Amino acid sequence: MNKIRYALGSVAIVAFAGIALSNPGTATPAPTPALSVPAHDHHEQHSNNIVYGPAPDVFPPGAEMAVLQGDPSVAGQIFTVRLRLPNGYVIPPHFHPTDESVTVIKGAFKVGLGDHFDKDAFLPTLQRGDFIVAPANANHFAQAKGRTEVQVHAVGPFQMTYVNPADDPRSPK
């Protein structure tokens, strides 16, 4: 009896395999044709090739900046920049007209909310790989802990308005 079951089972497998092989639609799906992708500029940056220069004068002295994507001065254009900040570097309370997405690349970044720089008002310290979004028009401030590098992604034009005009490095002292 077991020999009959084995023989019938073998015949069924061979028959099924023969049917499957005779109908390519059920055996192996046809390769998917390549998608038609519209022409665009592909742009990549490798961390060892990023060229930094002094940050714009809207930042307190000591920061360095590199533009990775877009033009931060163009309205409606998506841009990505990297900022390198020395240990203890403070960005006084300010706001932006658009959302600002920040990712910590190196070091640590302390971010606080409010109108006055307050070391007790910091949110938890952001470490490498952490991410935060500062909503448009929300007053916030930051401080680098160790040599810190952050990546900022937003929609232009990049603007920074200091809550206290005396904190603006462009203001006459």
Side-chain angles (χ1 to χ4, degrees), residues 4-18:
I4 294 173
R5 280 190 194 153
Y6 177 76
L8 289 175
S10 297
V11 169
I13 290 172
V14 170
F16 178 75

Side-chain angles (χ1 to χ4, degrees), residues 19-168:
I19 292 169
L21 292 174
S22 68
N23 184 352
T26 59
T28 306
T32 304
L35 296 175
S36 174
V37 178
H40 67 281
D41 292 329
H42 179 81
H43 181 75
E44 63 183 58
Q45 290 278 340
H46 297 275
S47 60
N48 57 344
N49 293 333
I50 295 174
V51 177
Y52 288 86
D57 61 358
V58 70
F59 289 96
E64 296 177 298
M65 189 171 100
V67 176
L68 303 181
Q69 171 198 17
D71 182 341
S73 69
V74 176
Q77 188 173 106
I78 294 171
F79 69 87
T80 305
V81 298
R82 291 246 180 122
L83 289 167
R84 282 199 305 207
L85 312 169
N87 183 34
Y89 186 88
V90 171
I91 302 174
H94 64 281
F95 63 90
H96 310 279
T98 61
D99 289 358
E100 176 186 48
S101 300
V102 179
T103 304
V104 178
I105 304 298
K106 271 185 207 169
F109 201 53
K110 297 170 73 173
V111 178
L113 303 174
D115 298 344
H116 304 284
F117 182 84
D118 180 357
K119 65 181 177 70
D120 297 323
F122 282 113
L123 300 172
T125 300
L126 301 172
Q127 303 292 331
R128 181 178 179 208
D130 290 345
F131 173 83
I132 191 168
V133 175
N137 303 310
N139 294 347
H140 59 283
F141 50 89
Q143 183 176 27
K145 188 175 174 185
R147 184 145 174 84
T148 300
E149 189 172 326
V150 296
Q151 183 164 294
V152 178
H153 186 78
V155 175
F158 176 79
Q159 295 175 356
M160 214 164 131
T161 304
Y162 287 92
V163 174
N164 178 357
D167 287 337
D168 190 331

